Amino acid sequence: MQIRKAEPLDTERLIKMRWDFTIEDHPEKEQADVHVYEKECRRFLEEAIAGDRWHIWVAERAGVIVSHIYIQLVDKVPRPGRVTRPFAYMTNVYTVPSHRGTGIGSQLLEHIHQWVKEHEYEFILVWPSEAGEPYYKKNGYTRVEEPMEYIRE
């Protein structure tokens, strides 16, 4: 298994995996216009992979991406008396079904933990699905009080 950052050549595979990830949890979304989605996702991935705010990590087996984690760095407002570091917002955590339960997701997550530690990012924030909670708990995550949100009407 190889763990690495995503590269431009990975774009088409990542587009397909995001589609599969969404359809797995929301089969009604399969009716969405795939061409509109692909165009939007391609643009996002091209900018994310080339930029420095998103970090997309992939795990490959036999040269095929089978798992990924997306991290966006979020800056915090400086505060007197301490060095302010960004935190990592983790999203789009996915392993293809045929590779689940093999430890690949946990190995990828451990790689992320080491990367966060090396760069001294303050913490990792993730909003897991109910089904994903056991995965995060076994990898050292704890539930915190839910944030508040405002949803525009």
Side-chain angles (χ1 to χ4, degrees), residues 27 29 49 54 69 85 87 93 96 102 110 113-114 116 124-125 130 142:
K29 301 271 185 184
I49 291 169
W54 280 96
I69 293 176
R85 307 220 186 270
F87 70 88
V93 178
V96 296
T102 65
E110 180 55 34
H113 293 166
Q114 289 303 315
V116 164
I124 300 172
L125 178 69
E130 193 173 311
T142 57

Side-chain angles (χ1 to χ4, degrees), residues 14-30:
L14 293 172
I15 290 170
K16 171 82 167 89
M17 289 175 75
R18 178 65 176 161
W19 178 269
D20 293 345
F21 179 22
T22 301
I23 300 308
E24 183 177 327
D25 290 338
H26 304 281
E28 72 281 2
K29 301 271 185 184
E30 195 162 21

Side-chain angles (χ1 to χ4, degrees), residues 66-78:
V66 296
S67 187
H68 57 62
I69 293 176
Y70 289 48
I71 301 281
Q72 183 182 35
L73 298 179
V74 179
D75 291 322
K76 293 177 66 180
V77 177

